[in-house]
Amino acid sequence: MADEEGYLAVSGERITLQRRHHSASCREFLVRCPRLQLRSLSAVTCSVWLVAYGLFVLCQNSVVLSAAIFVTLIGLLVYLHFVKIDQESLLIVGSLGIQMTSSYASGKESTTFIEMNKVKDVVINEAIYMQKVIYYLCILLQDPVEPHVVSEVVPLFQSSKPRLDCLVEVYKSCQEILEQNKKS
Amino acid sequence: MVLKVFFPACCSLAESGLLVGRWIPEQNSAVILAVVHFPFVPGQVKQYLAEVHHVTQVEVSVLGSWTNSKQAKEENLGRFLEDLSTIFSHDPWIQLSRKQGSKFWSCSTIWKHPSGDEGDETTLVYYDQRKVMLSQLHPPLDSEVAAASSLDRKVENASRLMAMFNTVSQSKVLFMKDRYDEGPIKLTHWQSEGVEASIIVELMKQASVPACLLVTFLLSLVSRVCQSRALTFWPLSFIWSKLSTCQQLRHRLQHLQVISSPKKAPDQSQLMRKANIFVSILLDVTLGILLMSWLYRKNRIGHLANALIPMADHVAQQLQDLLQWLMGVPAGLKMNRALDQVLGRFFLYHIHLWISYIHLMSPFIEMILWYVGLSACLGLTVALSILSDIIALLTFHIYCFYVYGARLYCLKIYGLSSLWRLFRGKKWNVLRQRVDSCSYDLDQLFIGTLLFTILLFLLPTTALYYLVFTLLRLLVVLVQGVIHLLVDLINSLPFYSVLLRLCRSYRLASGVKFRVLEQEAGKPLRLLMQINPLSYGGVMQAYRLPTYSCYPKDSWGSLCKKLFVGELIYPWKHKGEKQD
């Protein structure tokens, strides 16, 4: 019960959207971001090392070279563990809530679960990002005191930033489940 | 409406029996707590559940039946289960059954009053009973505030999962039964290790009561001595308030009083606070004793004392050189020679006084250091505070120079600004707090302009002295600030919570996460509920211990303004006091 489709991200990269229908009221969407490119990795490493070598030639201090190696290694670790997100998933269970998971390239996962009684709606919003207008999917949270007020907006798929056609697919499925939930 | 069944994962291998748990009607969910095994007397089960309800205040009831079939004898069992539902009447009656070797369970519910939506689904959520029982749910801070502000709505808006967590943690009594206890009914649920496993803990609990009483008694004695009249009359009390060591000691005294109070902590956060304080003090004292053992080995104190005097001399020599440089033509600037000489001689005399004071003290310094070093056994923070105080005392001359320079500079700036107003035919109206125009006499204008010129031409000389001594003062303040930050860090870090997060991450939960297990068409949806641990930042935010010391309240901008105008700056600690 899983189908996969290719889409484009806002920046033009290829992303894949995987849909899993676990049951009538439980669906999961996985957006896989592009992998880390060997080309960019080697470019960054080479540039850092070249700069370090230039400094070494200037000041004849070999500490610079070892520092450059450490900087690249630690930078790579930090990038993989805290910055680079491989895959983002959205699990929506009709009676329970919405769960967002982003898995980092190192395997670390960060999960947020929002209970259904706090969710007001799921909408597609637009925002100005750098020099262009992009669309993004977001969850509106209900204010606990006044039920008509939106207290918070939680954006979804923040790192992969899919284009509108992909967002509409997810949006429709989410609305179906929210409708079911409201009916009962 | 979807029916949710929270099922403890440890019961999935239990033999057939009855499901015992709590039904939460507003969420349409059932929290299963245990399974009662088959040979039982219905009356006894009901009585037992009533007892549990009485003790825990959780509405525990029989929710349905559980079949773990190993052989194919379903025919008669089906009828038997239906009979059971008439004995223990519950709406809805949940029938869970598991076939041998199959991962997928079937679940059917029987509603006594069939409503419209008959084709309802069931969601099975597995949870780890032990982790859920022990974990402490931390809702996000802003929602907590909102919930507290509207108490009447709190019940309906409270987190739904909170109800489930509370149910499990409140029915602790159910789980605390011994494994080998032959009661009238047999239950399957998460088993605690029993009392036998923790004899040491029990002994420590017994011993802690007299220990706490003793500590409380000693503390009351100490605090009475501290508050006695001999120590609180004016000059002494002023000195106490300025010494950071005294403040640190007072802070630690309060901490000890909190720990040793014989009253039981009312709620979880207070308990955590006590544990955090305890671990913090323990760590502090351990580090202090380590420092002490390092200091007193190989006569390091003596070396330190011997190095201190030449260092003070060296600093004084450097200052003298600096003053000589300022009295000449510093950086090619041409100063007002007379004022320059006066100021320089004044400061040189001061340094001379300081050096003689240090040399007077030199025979005693080693002894003083030796005794002061003993205080490190009270904790690293106390030792650090003493270090900060010693730095403050040893750089007293720099402080004096700074104050003189700042006062002089401040006076000049104020004089200049008011004379500048006179120059423009205006004056400061104190009553209205504004600048008004004013007509001056010719004499007034003449004198004022003359004074303005004199002040303006003398300003660079004073400004230079002020600048140099302010930089020196800032250096000292920076060092003291770093020491205070370190002390603050040890005082405020919640070590116990961080350790708990590191080793037993489920104890501090920020929420839950679900994993979808394998599915089969026609069978209920199966989810695995796991605990989402609190992030380290969240731990810090929730359990940070309050400290006495205040961070710099004025921003960098206001600090620069103060420096420019010539107001006195203090190390970070005293600043808060002054503003209060």
Side-chain angles (χ1 to χ4, degrees):
Chain A
M1 275 190 288
D3 50 349
E4 216 171 298
E5 256 179 274
Y7 286 97
L8 286 182
V10 164
S11 54
E13 291 157 325
R14 293 200 169 279
I15 53 173
T16 53
L17 172 73
Q18 193 181 9
R19 276 170 294 182
R20 290 184 192 158
H21 290 247
H22 294 298
S23 78
S25 67
C26 174
R27 281 176 200 177
E28 194 172 4
F29 304 95
L30 286 168
V31 174
R32 201 162 293 132
C33 308
R35 299 257 161 194
L36 183 61
Q37 295 272 322
L38 188 65
R39 203 183 303 159
S40 56
L41 183 70
S42 45
V44 170
T45 317
C46 283
S47 55
V48 169
W49 286 6
L50 279 179
V51 167
Y53 191 73
L55 281 179
F56 171 68
V57 168
L58 276 181
C59 65
Q60 297 293 324
N61 193 351
S62 64
V63 177
V64 179
L65 291 181
S66 43
I69 294 175
F70 274 110
V71 164
T72 38
L73 277 180
I74 290 170
L76 186 67
L77 281 182
V78 167
Y79 179 73
L80 288 182
H81 198 67
F82 294 106
V83 183
K84 174 72 183 155
I85 290 178
D86 244 12
Q87 158 176 319
E88 283 176 300
S89 77
L90 177 76
L91 174 72
I92 171 160
V93 187
S95 51
L96 277 171
I98 301 178
Q99 174 174 292
M100 297 160 286
T101 311
S102 34
S103 4
Y104 291 84
S106 67
K108 188 182 96 163
E109 282 193 350
S110 75
T111 312
T112 330
F113 178 74
I114 300 171
E115 285 175 66
M116 221 34 159
N117 59 342
K118 286 182 190 153
V119 174
K120 191 171 163 65
D121 206 351
V122 175
V123 294
I124 293 179
N125 209 345
E126 49 183 18
I128 297 172
Y129 175 73
M130 309 296 260
Q131 80 287 10
K132 53 195 164 191
V133 174
I134 62 167
Y135 297 94
Y136 66 96
L137 197 67
C138 60
I139 305 176
L140 305 181
L141 296 191
Q142 230 166 33
D143 198 81
V145 184
E146 294 164 67
H148 297 293
V149 180
V150 175
S151 68
E152 212 178 317
V153 176
V154 182
L156 296 173
F157 303 125
Q158 259 178 302
S159 76
S160 49
K161 298 198 192 69
R163 286 191 179 174
L164 188 61
D165 50 350
C166 175
L167 291 180
V168 168
E169 290 285 321
V170 180
Y171 172 77
K172 278 180 186 161
S173 302
C174 286
Q175 285 301 332
E176 272 175 36
I177 292 176
L178 288 180
E179 279 300 314
Q180 282 176 15
N181 205 42
K182 261 174 210 160
K183 246 185 258 166
S184 53
Chain B
M1 186 85 176
V2 181
L3 181 81
K4 284 167 284 181
V5 180
F6 290 93
F7 194 84
C10 50
C11 292
S12 59
L13 288 174
E15 289 167 32
S16 308
L18 288 176
L19 298 173
V20 175
R22 181 183 168 206
W23 172 250
I24 307 175
E26 57 264 28
Q27 300 175 26
N28 211 8
S29 60
V31 183
I32 310 284
L33 294 172
V35 175
V36 179
H37 292 241
F38 252 131
F40 57 77
V41 183
Q44 276 180 343
V45 173
K46 279 182 183 170
Q47 194 191 345
Y48 178 72
L49 291 183
E51 277 172 27
V52 170
H53 174 56
H54 181 70
V55 176
T56 60
Q57 302 299 324
V58 178
E59 291 169 31
V60 185
S61 54
V62 175
L63 296 178
S65 62
W66 159 252
T67 342
N68 190 358
S69 59
K70 290 187 174 115
Q71 302 93 20
K73 45 173 186 179
E74 318 234 322
E75 194 59 37
N76 48 8
L77 213 63
R79 172 120 2 120
F80 176 60
L81 292 177
E82 274 170 32
D83 290 348
L84 276 177
S85 72
T86 52
I87 299 173
F88 303 99
S89 59
H90 191 268
D91 188 33
W93 183 255
I94 302 164
Q95 285 183 333
L96 275 178
S97 62
R98 174 199 168 134
K99 288 227 178 72
Q100 180 71 18
S102 165
K103 273 192 249 173
F104 308 104
W105 305 359
S106 56
C107 176
S108 60
T109 48
I110 304 167
W111 293 82
K112 203 174 285 170
H113 310 289
S115 49
D117 46 324
E118 262 305 286
D120 55 354
E121 298 179 56
T122 318
T123 308
L124 266 175
V125 183
Y126 299 97
Y127 69 93
D128 191 326
Q129 209 161 29
R130 173 162 167 268
K131 288 186 178 174
V132 169
M133 187 183 86
L134 291 176
S135 76
Q136 181 76 21
L137 208 58
H138 293 76
L141 284 176
D142 48 339
S143 74
E144 198 176 36
V145 172
S149 65
S150 59
L151 277 174
D152 49 334
R153 284 165 175 265
K154 195 177 171 183
V155 182
E156 61 178 278
N157 273 323
S159 164
R160 290 184 173 181
L161 285 164
M162 198 70 128
M164 187 253 156
F165 270 68
N166 282 344
T167 307
V168 178
S169 62
Q170 277 173 5
S171 43
K172 215 173 179 176
V173 183
L174 201 66
F175 312 129
M176 283 305 166
K177 265 182 57 174
D178 221 339
R179 188 180 314 199
Y180 309 106
D181 197 5
E182 290 283 330
I185 48 177
K186 286 185 178 164
L187 292 167
T188 295
H189 48 68
W190 165 69
Q191 275 293 342
S192 68
E193 301 289 295
V195 189
E196 293 88 347
S198 52
I199 283 178
I200 298 169
V201 175
E202 288 296 314
L203 277 177
M204 274 169 75
K205 270 185 194 165
Q206 296 291 328
S208 70
V209 177
C212 274
L213 284 178
L214 186 70
V215 171
T216 319
F217 175 68
L218 287 177
L219 284 180
S220 66
L221 274 185
V222 170
S223 59
R224 208 168 295 157
V225 168
C226 286
Q227 280 161 5
S228 64
R229 184 123 356 129
L231 291 174
T232 51
F233 68 92
W234 178 72
L236 276 181
S237 67
F238 180 74
I239 291 176
W240 298 150
S241 75
K242 289 295 170 215
L243 286 181
S244 55
T245 316
C246 289
Q247 275 187 335
Q248 177 61 27
L249 281 176
R250 207 173 296 145
H251 189 66
R252 279 292 181 220
L253 204 68
Q254 278 170 0
H255 273 174
L256 278 174
Q257 273 167 347
V258 168
I259 294 181
S260 66
S261 75
K263 268 181 275 177
K264 203 171 175 236
D267 56 352
Q268 185 71 20
S269 66
Q270 289 294 318
L271 190 74
M272 287 297 277
R273 181 157 178 260
K274 268 191 175 183
N276 278 330
I277 291 175
F278 183 70
V279 175
S280 160
I281 289 184
L282 213 64
L283 193 80
D284 191 14
V285 169
T286 316
L287 285 178
I289 287 175
L290 276 181
L291 177 78
M292 202 166 78
S293 69
W294 182 81
L295 268 183
Y296 283 80
R297 214 173 293 153
K298 294 185 193 162
N299 194 22
R300 283 204 177 89
I301 289 269
H303 292 304
L304 204 69
N306 289 338
L308 211 61
I309 296 293
M311 209 162 75
D313 273 342
H314 181 71
V315 169
Q317 188 60 46
Q318 290 287 324
L319 275 176
Q320 267 175 347
D321 289 349
L322 184 73
L323 283 171
Q324 293 289 353
W325 180 67
L326 283 178
M327 280 163 75
V329 192
L333 292 173
K334 193 146 198 269
M335 320 296 284
N336 183 304
R337 190 163 172 71
L339 182 67
D340 204 24
Q341 291 291 327
V342 167
L343 280 178
R345 290 224 184 99
F346 175 66
F347 288 130
L348 277 181
Y349 175 64
H350 222 284
I351 288 179
H352 174 71
L353 272 185
W354 177 251
I355 287 181
S356 44
Y357 161 64
I358 289 276
H359 280 273
L360 210 68
M361 286 251 302
S362 59
F364 311 107
I365 278 191
E366 186 174 349
M367 212 169 63
I368 293 174
L369 273 185
W370 201 87
Y371 283 114
V372 161
L374 283 180
S375 70
C377 68
L378 290 176
L380 184 68
T381 49
V382 177
L384 281 176
S385 312
I386 287 180
L387 180 69
S388 156
D389 283 342
I390 287 178
I391 287 177
L393 283 178
L394 282 185
T395 56
F396 190 67
H397 49 324
I398 292 180
Y399 177 69
C400 285
F401 293 163
Y402 167 70
V403 171
Y404 301 146
R407 285 280 177 246
L408 212 63
Y409 178 75
C410 186
L411 219 68
K412 283 217 164 143
I413 289 283
Y414 274 113
L416 272 177
S417 67
S418 78
L419 287 173
W420 172 244
R421 274 185 230 117
L422 175 137
F423 205 56
R424 293 180 301 154
K426 297 202 166 146
K427 72 164 188 181
W428 175 252
N429 191 337
V430 183
L431 293 176
R432 299 203 174 171
Q433 294 284 309
R434 65 172 191 196
V435 177
D436 283 342
S437 59
C438 171
S439 59
Y440 291 100
D441 294 340
L442 197 64
D443 297 354
Q444 282 173 331
L445 273 176
F446 178 69
I447 295 285
T449 317
L450 206 66
L451 281 177
F452 180 80
T453 338
I454 293 173
L455 281 185
L456 190 67
F457 285 125
L458 290 184
L459 183 69
T461 315
T462 7
L464 190 74
Y465 276 89
Y466 172 66
L467 183 76
V468 168
F469 290 125
T470 305
L471 287 181
L472 281 178
R473 172 72 183 154
L474 277 181
L475 198 74
V476 174
V477 167
L478 197 75
V479 171
Q480 275 188 300
V482 167
I483 291 176
H484 284 158
L485 259 179
L486 210 64
V487 169
D488 236 34
L489 196 75
I490 298 177
N491 272 341
S492 69
L493 261 189
F495 290 105
Y496 179 72
S497 307
V498 172
L499 269 182
L500 212 60
R501 167 69 184 80
L502 206 67
C503 307
R504 298 267 185 281
S505 56
Y506 57 85
R507 288 288 296 274
L508 305 172
S510 72
V512 294
K513 53 186 175 190
F514 291 93
R515 226 180 64 209
V516 182
L517 300 177
E518 277 179 83
Q519 300 301 316
E520 194 174 86
K523 293 286 167 71
L525 179 71
R526 301 188 315 149
L527 297 173
L528 180 68
M529 190 171 90
Q530 288 163 325
I531 287 173
N532 202 4
L534 205 62
S535 65
Y536 283 99
V539 171
M540 289 292 168
Q541 210 178 2
Y543 293 110
R544 198 176 163 276
L545 296 170
T547 50
Y548 57 88
S549 150
C550 2
Y551 284 98
K553 270 179 187 158
D554 37 335
S555 58
W556 292 106
S558 67
L559 188 74
C560 287
K561 198 185 151 209
K562 265 189 176 178
L563 283 179
F564 182 74
V565 177
E567 276 181 61
L568 293 185
I569 54 161
Y570 291 93
W572 296 344
K573 199 163 65 67
H574 296 292
K575 210 180 279 168
E577 266 179 29
K578 204 188 166 210
Q579 281 175 352
D580 291 338

